[in-house]
Coordinates of all heavy atoms in Angstrom, one line a residue:
V69 N 3.6 -10.9 19.8 CA 4.9 -11.5 19.5 C 5.8 -11.1 20.7 O 5.8 -10.0 21.2 CB 5.5 -10.9 18.2 CG1 6.9 -11.3 18.0 CG2 4.6 -11.2 17.0
G70 N 6.7 -12.0 21.1 CA 7.6 -11.7 22.2 C 8.5 -10.5 21.9 O 8.9 -10.3 20.7
F71 N 8.8 -9.7 22.8 CA 9.6 -8.5 22.6 C 10.9 -8.9 22.0 O 11.4 -8.1 21.1 CB 9.8 -7.8 24.0 CG 10.6 -6.5 23.8 CD1 10.0 -5.3 23.6 CD2 12.0 -6.4 24.0 CE1 10.7 -4.1 23.4 CE2 12.7 -5.3 23.9 CZ 12.0 -4.1 23.6
G72 N 11.6 -9.9 22.5 CA 12.9 -10.3 21.9 C 12.8 -10.7 20.5 O 13.9 -10.6 19.7
S73 N 11.7 -11.2 20.0 CA 11.5 -11.8 18.6 C 11.6 -10.5 17.7 O 11.8 -10.7 16.4 CB 10.2 -12.5 18.5 OG 10.1 -13.7 19.4
F74 N 11.3 -9.4 18.2 CA 11.3 -8.2 17.3 C 12.6 -8.1 16.6 O 12.7 -7.8 15.4 CB 11.0 -6.9 18.1 CG 11.1 -5.6 17.3 CD1 10.0 -5.2 16.7 CD2 12.3 -4.9 17.2 CE1 10.0 -3.9 16.0 CE2 12.4 -3.8 16.5 CZ 11.3 -3.3 15.9
Y75 N 13.7 -8.2 17.3 CA 15.0 -8.0 16.9 C 15.5 -9.2 15.9 O 16.6 -9.1 15.4 CB 16.0 -7.8 17.9 CG 15.7 -6.5 18.7 CD1 15.0 -6.5 19.9 CD2 16.2 -5.3 18.2 CE1 14.8 -5.3 20.6 CE2 15.9 -4.1 18.9 CZ 15.1 -4.1 20.1 OH 14.9 -3.0 20.7
N76 N 14.8 -10.2 15.8 CA 14.9 -11.2 14.8 C 14.6 -10.7 13.3 O 15.0 -11.4 12.4 CB 14.3 -12.5 15.1 CG 14.8 -13.1 16.4 OD1 15.9 -13.0 16.7 ND2 13.9 -13.9 17.1
H77 N 13.8 -9.7 13.4 CA 13.3 -9.2 12.0 C 13.7 -7.9 11.7 O 13.9 -7.5 10.6 CB 11.8 -9.2 12.1 CG 11.2 -10.6 12.4 ND1 11.1 -11.5 11.4 CD2 10.8 -11.2 13.5 CE1 10.6 -12.7 12.0 NE2 10.5 -12.5 13.3
F78 N 13.9 -6.9 12.8 CA 14.3 -5.5 12.6 C 15.4 -5.1 13.5 O 15.3 -5.6 14.7 CB 13.1 -4.6 12.6 CG 11.8 -5.0 11.8 CD1 10.8 -5.7 12.4 CD2 11.9 -4.8 10.5 CE1 9.7 -6.2 11.6 CE2 10.8 -5.1 9.7 CZ 9.8 -5.8 10.3
E79 N 16.3 -4.3 13.1 CA 17.4 -3.8 14.0 C 16.9 -2.8 14.9 O 17.5 -2.7 16.0 CB 18.5 -3.3 13.1 CG 19.2 -4.3 12.3 CD 20.4 -3.6 11.5 OE1 20.6 -2.4 11.6 OE2 21.1 -4.3 10.8
S80 N 15.8 -2.0 14.5 CA 15.4 -1.0 15.4 C 14.0 -0.5 15.1 O 13.5 -1.1 14.0 CB 16.3 0.3 15.3 OG 16.4 0.7 14.0
K81 N 13.4 0.3 15.8 CA 12.1 0.8 15.4 C 12.1 1.5 14.0 O 11.2 1.5 13.3 CB 11.5 1.9 16.4 CG 10.0 2.2 16.2 CD 9.5 3.1 17.3 CE 10.1 4.5 17.3 NZ 9.5 5.4 18.3
E82 N 13.2 2.2 13.8 CA 13.4 3.0 12.6 C 13.5 2.0 11.4 O 13.0 2.3 10.3 CB 14.6 3.9 12.7 CG 14.6 5.1 13.5 CD 14.5 4.7 15.0 OE1 15.0 3.7 15.3 OE2 14.0 5.6 15.8
G83 N 14.2 0.8 11.6 CA 14.3 -0.1 10.6 C 12.8 -0.8 10.2 O 12.6 -1.0 9.1
L84 N 12.1 -0.9 11.3 CA 10.7 -1.4 11.0 C 9.9 -0.3 10.2 O 9.1 -0.7 9.3 CB 10.0 -1.7 12.3 CG 8.6 -2.2 12.2 CD1 8.3 -3.2 13.3 CD2 7.6 -1.1 12.3
F85 N 10.2 0.9 10.6 CA 9.4 2.0 9.9 C 9.8 2.0 8.5 O 9.0 2.2 7.6 CB 9.7 3.4 10.7 CG 8.8 4.4 10.1 CD1 7.5 4.4 10.3 CD2 9.5 5.4 9.4 CE1 6.7 5.5 9.7 CE2 8.7 6.5 8.9 CZ 7.3 6.5 9.0
S86 N 11.0 1.9 8.2 CA 11.5 1.9 6.8 C 10.9 0.8 6.0 O 10.5 1.0 4.9 CB 13.1 1.8 6.7 OG 13.7 2.9 7.3
A87 N 10.9 -0.4 6.7 CA 10.2 -1.6 6.1 C 8.7 -1.4 5.9 O 8.1 -1.7 4.9 CB 10.5 -2.9 6.8
L88 N 8.1 -0.7 6.8 CA 6.7 -0.4 6.7 C 6.4 0.5 5.5 O 5.4 0.4 4.8 CB 6.2 0.2 8.0 CG 4.7 0.6 8.1 CD1 3.8 -0.7 8.0 CD2 4.4 1.4 9.4
V89 N 7.1 1.6 5.4 CA 7.0 2.5 4.3 C 7.2 1.7 2.9 O 6.3 2.0 2.1 CB 8.0 3.6 4.4 CG1 8.0 4.4 3.1 CG2 7.7 4.5 5.5
E90 N 8.1 0.9 2.9 CA 8.5 0.1 1.7 C 7.2 -0.7 1.3 O 6.7 -0.9 0.2 CB 9.7 -0.7 1.7 CG 9.9 -1.5 0.4 CD 11.3 -2.2 0.5 OE1 11.9 -2.1 1.6 OE2 11.6 -2.9 -0.5
W91 N 6.7 -1.5 2.5 CA 5.5 -2.4 2.3 C 4.3 -1.7 1.9 O 3.5 -2.1 1.0 CB 5.3 -3.1 3.6 CG 4.2 -4.1 3.6 CD1 4.0 -5.0 2.7 CD2 3.3 -4.2 4.6 NE1 2.9 -5.8 3.1 CE2 2.4 -5.4 4.2 CE3 3.0 -3.5 5.8 CZ2 1.3 -5.6 5.0 CZ3 1.9 -3.8 6.6 CH2 1.0 -4.9 6.1
V92 N 4.0 -0.5 2.5 CA 2.8 0.2 2.3 C 2.7 1.1 1.1 O 1.8 1.1 0.3 CB 2.4 1.0 3.6 CG1 1.2 1.8 3.4 CG2 2.2 0.1 4.8
F93 N 3.9 1.7 0.8 CA 3.9 2.7 -0.2 C 4.7 2.3 -1.6 O 4.2 2.6 -2.6 CB 4.4 4.1 0.4 CG 3.6 4.7 1.4 CD1 4.3 5.3 2.5 CD2 2.3 4.7 1.4 CE1 3.5 5.8 3.5 CE2 1.5 5.2 2.5 CZ 2.1 5.8 3.5
E94 N 5.9 1.8 -1.3 CA 6.7 1.5 -2.4 C 6.1 0.4 -3.3 O 6.1 0.5 -4.5 CB 8.1 1.0 -1.9 CG 8.9 2.1 -1.2 CD 9.4 3.2 -2.1 OE1 9.3 3.1 -3.3 OE2 9.8 4.3 -1.7
E95 N 5.4 -0.6 -2.7 CA 4.9 -1.7 -3.5 C 3.6 -1.1 -4.3 O 3.4 -1.5 -5.4 CB 4.4 -2.8 -2.6 CG 5.6 -3.7 -2.1 CD 5.0 -4.9 -1.4 OE1 3.9 -5.1 -1.3 OE2 5.9 -5.6 -0.9
F96 N 2.9 -0.1 -3.7 CA 1.8 0.4 -4.4 C 2.3 1.3 -5.4 O 1.8 1.3 -6.6 CB 1.0 1.2 -3.4 CG -0.2 1.9 -4.0 CD1 -1.3 1.2 -4.3 CD2 -0.3 3.3 -4.1 CE1 -2.5 1.7 -4.9 CE2 -1.4 3.9 -4.7 CZ -2.5 3.1 -5.0
A97 N 3.3 2.0 -5.2 CA 3.9 2.9 -6.3 C 4.4 2.1 -7.5 O 4.2 2.4 -8.7 CB 5.0 3.8 -5.7
D98 N 5.0 0.9 -7.2 CA 5.6 0.0 -8.3 C 4.3 -0.5 -9.0 O 4.4 -0.7 -10.3 CB 6.3 -1.1 -7.7 CG 7.7 -0.7 -7.1 OD1 8.1 0.4 -7.5 OD2 8.2 -1.5 -6.3
M99 N 3.2 -0.8 -8.3 CA 2.0 -1.3 -9.0 C 1.5 -0.2 -9.9 O 1.0 -0.6 -11.0 CB 1.0 -1.8 -8.0 CG -0.2 -2.3 -8.6 SD -1.5 -1.1 -9.0 CE -1.9 -0.4 -7.3
L100 N 1.5 1.0 -9.5 CA 1.0 2.0 -10.4 C 1.9 2.2 -11.6 O 1.4 2.4 -12.7 CB 1.0 3.4 -9.6 CG 0.0 3.6 -8.5 CD1 0.1 4.9 -7.7 CD2 -1.4 3.4 -8.9

Side-chain angles (χ1 to χ4, degrees):
V69 173
F71 183 86
S73 298
F74 177 91
Y75 294 98
N76 294 330
H77 303 274
F78 306 101
E79 295 182 356
S80 62
K81 187 178 72 170
E82 289 71 22
L84 179 144
F85 185 67
S86 296
L88 180 64
V89 169
E90 181 177 358
W91 180 51
V92 173
F93 299 141
E94 295 289 347
E95 288 186 0
F96 181 70
D98 290 341
M99 182 275 294
L100 292 178

